[in-house]
């Protein structure tokens, strides 16, 4: 038995709604963590080290 056009439209609308809700929740989670990710971001984080004038690192 073929589905009616209304049922198909309703299923597509709920699918779109689920996608929008997930995207919104991810956005809210990133806002709470105050984090933004971009395509240009690298996975490797580099550390900045301060060095003394004689090129030896500071000792804490």
């Amino acid at each position: 038995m073929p589905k009616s056009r209304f049922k198909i439209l309703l299923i597509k609308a709920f699918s779109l709604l689920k996608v929008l809700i997930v995207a919104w929740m991810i956005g809210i989670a990133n806002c709470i963590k105050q984090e933004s990710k971009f395509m240009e971001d690298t996975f490797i984080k580099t550390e900045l080290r301060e060095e003394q004038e004689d090129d030896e690192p500071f000792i804490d």
Side-chain angles (χ1 to χ4, degrees):
M1 182 173 163
K3 294 183 180 180
S4 68
R5 289 183 186 209
F6 178 73
K7 269 191 173 180
I8 293 171
L9 184 63
L10 193 62
I11 290 170
K12 288 184 179 184
F14 278 125
S15 297
L16 180 64
L17 184 63
K18 285 195 284 187
V19 169
L20 291 175
I21 288 173
V22 169
W24 182 75
M25 288 170 36
I26 290 172
I28 294 296
N30 284 340
C31 287
I32 290 172
K33 289 170 53 176
Q34 295 179 351
E35 172 180 305
S36 63
K37 293 183 180 176
F38 297 99
M39 297 274 301
E40 299 88 31
D41 288 350
T42 59
F43 293 108
I44 301 168
K45 301 294 180 189
T46 57
E47 292 184 19
L48 297 175
R49 293 180 53 178
E50 295 182 21
E51 294 185 357
Q52 295 177 354
E53 289 181 11
D54 58 356
D55 293 333
E56 291 184 17
F58 287 120
I59 299 174
D60 292 332

